[in-house]
Structures are given as structure tokens and as C-alpha cells.
Amino acid sequence: MDHGPETDGLHDLLTAVGTGDRRAFDALYLRLSGRLHAIALRMLRDADLAEDAVHDAFVQIWRNAGRYDRARGEVTAWAIGILRYRALDLLRRRGRETAADPVIVADLADQAAAADPDNPPAFTTPELPGRINRLETCLAELSEGARGSIRLAYVDGLSHGEIAGRTGQPLGTVKSWIRRGLAALKECLER
């Protein structure tokens, strides 16, 4: 089965994530988070819910990376599938089943899984060390609350509620730290 150049780098990252490699997870997050967030936003039509869905999807990706089977599909499609289930769970939990049309959700996931030749991956494997160093530099620029919350969420895999419990901060504060911190990281990484 031909997996193409985009998937080769993602497969290597996901394989490393499956062994508990946190740097690989950070790199995988950089590669997939923008696409997953766009899909979640279109599915859920709510920025906060979209962020929660992406966070929950990355927690599941971290926990299940070792179970990924390359023969069953592309890494991006696998991640989008996880996101779809997380988003639909959020809709059910919040009593907002009417917010997303299941046909649109399925079409969006299929479209997003297809490679986009006009939008190549942000970096290739040889560029990975430089991107990781840049990420660490940008993380250092964040406030302690934002940096710590982002690490707890995306590295340790804690939910927003678990972070609030661990830090003793209100849930809204934790969500704000993460939301603003991710926006600041994106801005810093694009400089």
C-alpha cells in the first residue's frame, strides 16, 4: 500500500508517540492540530467545544498511538476519526445533537483525510529538531499558568477538569490559559 510522503513522516512520529516519546507527540500535534481544529470548528460551530474536541482527540491519540495499524489507513484519517468521535460525544453530552448534520460530518472527515497537494506539511522529518527547539522557545515565552496547563493537557493527557483540580484553579481559568496559550504559541511559531 502506498502511503505517500505526507503519511511517512506522520507514521514515524506516531510510532514514536506510541513508545511514549513526548517530543514526537509535540511534533505530531504541530502537524495535525490546525487541520483537526478546523474540522472540529466546522462540525461543532463553537470555538470552545472545538478546542475541547481537539484536546480530547489528542489525549486519545497519545493513549492509543501504540495501537495504530498503518495497514488500516492513513495517520491523518485515523486522527480525524478519533476527532469525529470526540466531537460527537461532546455534542451528545451537551445536548446539542442538532448542531451538526451527520452527513456533513462524514463528508468533512473524508475531505480532510485526503491529501491536499496545495498545502504541503509544515515541515519534514529533517527539520524536526529545529521545530522542536522553536516550540520550546515559544513555550518559554508563555505565562507559567498557560505553559503548565498546556503541558498538562497535551503532554500528560489531562482533561481541562483534571488540570483545574491539580492546579487548584477554576475550570474557566484553565480553559482561558490553554486557549490564549495556544494562540500565542501559534503566533510565535509563525514569526
Side-chain angles (χ1 to χ4, degrees), residues 7-131:
T7 304
D8 289 339
L10 289 176
H11 179 263
D12 293 344
L13 288 173
L14 190 60
T15 299
V17 171
T19 67
D21 185 331
R22 291 180 179 194
R23 286 180 158 222
F25 181 77
D26 291 343
L28 185 70
Y29 176 83
L30 286 173
R31 293 273 302 268
L32 294 177
S33 62
R35 179 179 275 181
L36 294 183
H37 189 267
I39 293 167
L41 195 54
R42 288 185 65 192
M43 285 175 63
L44 299 167
R45 301 178 190 149
D46 180 286
D48 289 335
L49 282 178
E51 288 175 21
D52 288 346
V54 171
H55 171 264
D56 291 351
F58 274 101
V59 169
Q60 290 302 311
I61 288 168
W62 171 258
R63 291 178 179 162
N64 296 307
R67 296 183 190 147
Y68 168 73
D69 179 3
R70 188 176 196 171
R72 296 184 68 193
E74 306 281 340
V75 171
T76 303
W78 179 76
I80 290 169
I82 291 172
L83 174 70
R84 272 178 50 188
Y85 288 113
R86 300 286 66 185
L88 292 173
D89 282 348
L90 282 173
L91 287 173
R92 280 191 286 274
R93 279 199 313 248
R94 305 258 174 130
R96 296 180 55 180
E97 287 84 0
T98 58
D101 180 336
V103 174
I104 292 172
V105 170
D107 287 345
L108 286 172
D110 291 341
Q111 291 169 16
D116 182 1
D118 296 327
N119 188 17
F123 60 94
T124 59
T125 304
E127 297 168 323
L128 183 58
R131 295 290 293 196

Side-chain angles (χ1 to χ4, degrees), residues 3-4 26-27 34 53 73 87 97 105 111 114-115 133-134 137 144 150 175 184:
H3 296 285
D26 291 343
E97 287 84 0
V105 170
Q111 291 169 16
N133 289 338
R134 182 72 184 136
T137 299
E144 185 177 332
I150 288 171
K175 286 185 175 187

Side-chain angles (χ1 to χ4, degrees), residues 55 139 142-160 162-164 166-167 169-171 173-179 181-182:
H55 171 264
L139 278 168
L142 298 178
S143 70
E144 185 177 332
R147 181 176 51 253
S149 294
I150 288 171
R151 285 185 192 260
L152 288 171
Y154 293 99
V155 176
D156 294 339
L158 299 182
S159 70
H160 291 160
E162 291 169 330
I163 296 167
R166 183 174 286 188
T167 62
Q169 296 295 323
L171 180 61
T173 299
V174 168
K175 286 185 175 187
S176 292
W177 280 344
I178 292 172
R179 183 174 33 258
L182 290 174

